[in-house]
Amino acid sequence: SQTIHQWPATLVQPVGSPLSLECTVEGTSNPNLYWYRQAAGRGLQLLFYSVGIGQISSEVPQNLSASRPQDRQFILSSKKLLLSDSGFYLCAWSPGPEQYFGPGTRLTVT
Amino acid sequence: LAKTTQPISMDSYEGQEVNITCSHNNIATNDYITWYQQFPSQGPRFIIQGYKTKVTNEVASLFIPADRKSSTLSLPRVSLSDTAVYYCLVGGGSSNTGKLIFGQGTTLQVKP
């Protein structure tokens, strides 16, 4: 069966510090991968998606970036965090029209 | 990607059937209709997906009329643990790489 992992589960970072969130998928190959952010009490905002290694599409201009160095690895990064980057970050993968989400990372920028 | 409209919130009581309707007037030919459930501090969980007519699984039923411009998620005999946010999404067809745009969802509150 397929599983999706995200780490860390929670993170508290100061403004201006770098960020690296990692997502890995097991049990499948060449999945579509997605990064979402959810602000408190809001819906999910699609940030990036990837259909293959090295292929990244950005949905929202921001100070975040994403990379896919391996088939089942998706990384979300920032060089300098802003207060507005706080939120719940979710990684998802899809084998088809549906998506399956990871447990998420709660990021608080102080 | 087709935009969806669903009620912001709904209240129900334990044991009742809950129907949440979603409108998606601009659904494309190759779009699927998918519903997710989300609890606080967790990622959305796939509930059910359909393309047309009726789909049923162990958790819910999905009713889709012939014109596919709306859909209804039916939760039989809800319990307190069904209190969550429910999202209706359309998309995932081969032409859009599976991108899904989440709206605000419907917050379902089940009362004892």
Side-chain angles (χ1 to χ4, degrees), chain A residues 6-10 88-91 101-106, chain B residues 41-43:
Chain A
Q6 284 187 249
W7 64 90
T10 60
F88 190 44
Y89 287 82
L90 289 155
C91 179
F101 288 80
T105 295
R106 175 76 60 189
Chain B
S41 297
Q42 294 185 26

Side-chain angles (χ1 to χ4, degrees), chain A residues 22-93:
Chain A
E22 189 164 344
C23 170
T24 59
V25 182
E26 296 178 354
T28 186
S29 59
N30 197 32
N32 286 353
L33 296 172
Y34 309 84
W35 277 112
Y36 291 87
R37 177 171 61 199
Q38 187 172 35
R42 306 293 296 275
L44 281 77
Q45 179 186 38
L46 179 63
L47 302 176
F48 301 95
Y49 70 93
S50 171
V51 299
I53 296 174
Q55 301 180 61
I56 309 295
S57 296
S58 174
E59 291 294 301
V60 182
Q62 61 225 325
N63 68 322
L64 299 172
S65 62
S67 62
R68 185 170 178 174
Q70 301 180 44
D71 181 43
R72 290 169 289 176
Q73 183 184 33
F74 205 22
I75 297 172
L76 183 69
S77 303
S78 174
K79 293 182 179 179
K80 291 184 177 182
L81 284 169
L82 306 173
L83 285 174
S84 58
D85 291 324
S86 293
F88 190 44
Y89 287 82
L90 289 155
C91 179
W93 74 279

Side-chain angles (χ1 to χ4, degrees), chain B residues 9-62:
Chain B
S9 63
M10 293 182 68
D11 289 339
S12 183
Y13 291 92
E14 283 191 291
Q16 288 187 334
E17 178 185 73
V18 171
N19 296 309
I20 307 175
T21 297
C22 178
S23 64
H24 28 79
N25 292 317
N26 297 321
I27 188 170
T29 302
N30 61 349
D31 282 340
Y32 288 81
I33 301 160
T34 311
W35 286 80
Y36 293 84
Q37 175 193 57
Q38 187 180 27
F39 298 112
S41 297
Q42 294 185 26
R45 182 176 74 100
F46 171 86
I47 300 175
I48 198 167
Q49 182 180 76
Y51 185 80
K52 61 181 179 180
T53 62
K54 177 183 175 182
V55 179
T56 297
N57 61 22
E58 65 278 6
V59 176
S61 295
L62 178 59

